[in-house]
């Protein structure tokens, strides 16, 4: 676009160029307005749009971007027997729906370490993890959670219906939902959620408005 614009200037007649180079004096602009415009331009250049940041972190973390549709709702029993937790109750928060199983070696490494770390670090923020155990009995899951020191919300998808709704075909699978309740990304397999890019990605999502 810029080169085309300059080329068009080069093809103008010389009389037209002279006329455009000698405009009538413009009205004086207050110095404060000029400084304000310059500052706004500098800030706009220095701070990339949140959407651009999120796209960059999606690539760095090798996440599959999702189309931004509203996440399918669900309500599942808590592993501790204290009723149910629903996705609707998390409105206004960034939600990681972490599908896992006790027999999954990768899950046993990631859930009590990287996932647990981000849960502890982000307490008090509009952020939560719903760790959804797929088709496993309560006693087995509760025993593992207690022994591993997991403090995130552990839910039981006893018949696997929610996992099927979210098209989970491997464990772990993490579904990232934005504060507006819409699908952001999917990760099949482990990711460095507690690494530099992972933290920056979650920071950007937490900072986004809950529309």
């Amino acid at each position: 676009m810029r080169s085309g614009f300059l080329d068009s200037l080069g093809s103008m007649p010389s009389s037209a160029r002279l006329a455009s180079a000698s405009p009538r004096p413009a009205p004086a602009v207050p110095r404060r307005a000029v400084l304000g415009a310059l500052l706004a331009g500098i800030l706009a250049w220095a701070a990339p749009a949140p959407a651009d940041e999120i796209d960059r972190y999606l690539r760095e973390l090798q996440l599959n971007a999702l189309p931004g549709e509203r996440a399918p709702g669900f309500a599942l029993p808590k592993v501790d027997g204290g009723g149910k937790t629903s996705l609707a109750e998390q409105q206004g928060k960034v939600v990681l729906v972490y599908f896992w199983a006790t027999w999954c070696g990768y899950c046993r490494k990631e859930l009590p370490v990287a996932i647990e770390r981000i849960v502890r670090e982000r307490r008090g923020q509009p952020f939560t993890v719903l760790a959804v155990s797929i088709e496993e009995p309560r006693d087995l899951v509760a025993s593992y959670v207690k022994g591993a020191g997991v403090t995130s919300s552990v839910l039981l998808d006893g018949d696997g219906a929610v996992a099927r709704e979210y098209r989970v075909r491997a464990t772990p699978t993490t579904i990232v939902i934005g504060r507006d309740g819409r699908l952001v990304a999917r990760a099949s397999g482990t990711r460095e959620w507690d690494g530099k890019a992972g933290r920056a990605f979650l920071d950007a999502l937490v900072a986004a408005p809950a529309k």
Side-chain angles (χ1 to χ4, degrees):
M1 293 289 291
R2 183 174 296 177
S3 61
F5 177 68
L6 293 176
D7 290 343
S8 67
L9 288 180
S11 62
M12 293 171 63
S14 59
S15 59
R17 286 189 221 170
L18 290 173
S20 62
S22 304
R24 292 181 179 178
V29 179
R31 183 178 179 185
R32 183 176 299 176
V34 173
L35 293 175
L38 287 173
L39 179 59
I42 291 170
L43 291 175
W45 178 263
D52 293 339
E53 287 185 355
I54 291 171
D55 287 344
R56 175 160 60 89
Y57 297 133
L58 288 174
R59 293 191 297 271
E60 288 186 22
L61 292 165
Q62 297 183 340
L63 303 178
N64 295 319
L66 294 177
E69 299 172 353
R70 188 158 294 279
F74 60 83
L76 292 172
K78 301 175 184 179
V79 72
D80 61 8
K84 291 186 175 183
T85 292
S86 70
L87 183 61
E89 294 168 353
Q90 317 308 317
Q91 185 68 29
K93 298 179 181 178
V94 175
V95 183
L96 267 59
V97 186
Y98 185 83
F99 291 96
W100 69 288
T102 61
W103 48 260
C104 166
Y106 293 108
C107 305
R108 294 172 72 97
K109 292 179 180 179
E110 184 175 50
L111 179 58
V113 182
I115 297 298
E116 184 64 22
R117 188 173 291 131
I118 61 174
V119 168
R120 292 175 184 268
E121 288 176 351
R122 294 183 180 276
R123 282 181 179 153
Q125 297 183 16
F127 173 85
T128 193
V129 171
L130 302 180
V132 178
S133 169
I134 306 172
E135 297 183 355
E136 292 196 291
R138 183 190 302 272
D139 291 347
L140 176 62
V141 178
S143 176
Y144 171 77
V145 166
K146 182 178 180 180
V150 174
T151 64
S152 58
S153 298
V154 177
L155 310 178
L156 301 171
D157 186 15
D159 59 2
V162 175
R164 287 192 294 275
E165 176 74 17
Y166 279 83
R167 301 179 183 178
V168 175
R169 297 182 175 85
T171 53
T173 290
T174 305
I175 305 295
V176 183
I177 302 172
R179 295 185 63 194
D180 58 359
R182 298 185 179 278
L183 298 167
V184 175
R186 169 193 297 268
S188 296
T190 60
R191 295 294 189 278
E192 291 187 0
W193 300 109
D194 57 340
K196 182 178 179 181
R199 284 189 169 96
F201 173 59
L202 296 179
D203 285 342
L205 291 177
V206 166
K211 298 178 182 178

